Amino acid sequence: VRLSVDLDTSGIPAGALSVSYDGMRRELEAAKSSVKEQIDSANKLSIEKAAVEKDLADLKERYARDQKTAQEAQAQSNQTIATEKAAAAKIKASDDERISTLNAQLETSQKQVNSKQAELNSKQAELGTTQVALNGANRERITNGSVFQSERNGNNVEIFFVSYGGEPIWNNQDGVGDRLLGYAHSKQAFQLREGNGQVFTRDPWGGVLKSATIVYRYNRTGPLRWIEGKQHAWVSFEGW
């Protein structure tokens, strides 16, 4: 800074003028220094302000980015939860339907079991009645006469009583008597069952395990013999 001053110094002593000039110069230098310091301070504050503003902008940008990430994560979490809830609900509905179906099947099976049990009880009662008849009223028939009889090669066979599934057979139903007499003469083992080509042709008690009883003797004066067995058992006539 340059300062140019025109002064009228004609009436001022030379020494006083010099002192006044030096003081003014010092004041001017001090003012210049103060202004420079203020300018430097202002520049420094401006730089610091710019840095703070940049940091603030960075923080705002990072906050916005983090907020967006958090919102996206929350949305994804909500979607995952909704999907899992829907899947769980679907599985539960399927399980409930399956349980309902199984309960219905169980109820149906129980009814079938009860029905079969009632049928079994009825058949057992019939079997008991047949056994009583065999031990009582039919004893005379066994003693006095045979149901089926044949003689081959001098060997006589008499069959006095045949029962299958608790049902007595008193006549040659579908050749039952002929087949039994054939097995009695041949001593060949046979199976107690019904069906084509089997000893018995009729199933008196479908779906239930049955038993058979055959009372016979050889050569008219021999001892009475018994064949007893459950359905599908293999048996044979014994003795002459």
Side-chain angles (χ1 to χ4, degrees):
V1 178
R2 297 180 60 86
L3 183 63
S4 178
V5 181
D6 293 329
L7 298 174
D8 183 6
T9 60
S10 58
I12 301 174
L17 181 61
S18 177
V19 171
S20 177
Y21 176 77
D22 290 340
M24 291 177 62
R25 188 176 62 181
R26 284 193 298 272
E27 290 178 359
L28 181 60
E29 291 296 332
K32 288 170 58 179
S33 177
S34 176
V35 170
K36 185 176 182 302
E37 289 178 357
Q38 291 178 4
I39 292 173
D40 291 343
S41 178
N43 289 335
K44 183 178 180 180
L45 288 174
S46 178
I47 293 172
E48 291 177 352
K49 178 183 178 184
V52 170
E53 288 177 346
K54 184 177 184 304
D55 291 342
L56 180 60
D58 291 343
L59 287 174
K60 287 182 177 180
E61 181 180 357
R62 186 169 63 184
Y63 173 77
R65 185 170 59 250
D66 291 345
Q67 186 180 38
K68 181 180 179 181
T69 301
Q71 290 174 347
E72 291 176 350
Q74 184 64 46
Q76 181 64 36
S77 176
N78 292 340
Q79 179 63 35
T80 301
I81 292 173
T83 301
E84 291 176 350
K85 284 184 177 180
K90 184 177 181 180
I91 292 173
K92 184 178 183 301
S94 177
D95 290 344
D96 289 344
E97 182 179 0
R98 183 182 178 190
I99 290 172
S100 177
T101 300
L102 290 175
N103 285 335
Q105 292 175 349
L106 179 61
E107 183 178 356
T108 300
S109 298
Q110 187 61 50
K111 289 180 179 179
Q112 292 175 347
V113 169
N114 293 340
S115 176
K116 287 296 183 181
Q117 185 62 49
E119 185 178 358
L120 176 61
N121 293 339
S122 175
K123 291 298 182 179
Q124 285 178 336
E126 292 178 10
L127 181 60
T129 301
T130 301
Q131 191 64 42
V132 170
L134 174 63
N135 295 334
N138 290 330
R139 190 181 303 277
E140 181 179 356
R141 185 181 185 90
I142 294 175
T143 303
N144 298 327
S146 61
V147 181
F148 310 113
Q149 185 272 337
S150 71
E151 185 171 343
R152 298 179 187 176
N153 301 322
N155 295 316
N156 182 271
V157 179
E158 295 173 293
I159 297 177
F160 295 95
F161 179 79
V162 179
S163 173
Y164 183 62
E167 184 176 284
I169 300 175
W170 299 117
N171 54 65
N172 192 18
Q173 298 175 358
D174 300 323
V176 172
D178 292 338
R179 284 189 289 275
L180 288 175
L181 290 171
Y183 286 123
H185 282 288
S186 68
K187 299 295 186 66
Q188 181 182 355
F190 60 96
Q191 196 174 18
L192 298 175
R193 59 178 299 180
E194 75 285 339
N196 293 331
Q198 304 300 325
V199 175
F200 305 103
T201 57
R202 194 176 68 84
D203 186 352
W205 196 356
V208 178
L209 184 65
K210 293 165 282 294
S211 62
T213 302
I214 303 170
V215 181
Y216 67 98
R217 73 178 176 184
Y218 286 107
N219 297 328
R220 294 186 177 86
T221 59
L224 290 179
R225 298 178 182 272
W226 298 71
I227 292 177
E228 290 184 312
K230 293 184 178 180
Q231 183 182 14
H232 303 300
W234 286 88
V235 297
S236 63
F237 287 87
E238 302 291 341
W240 279 110

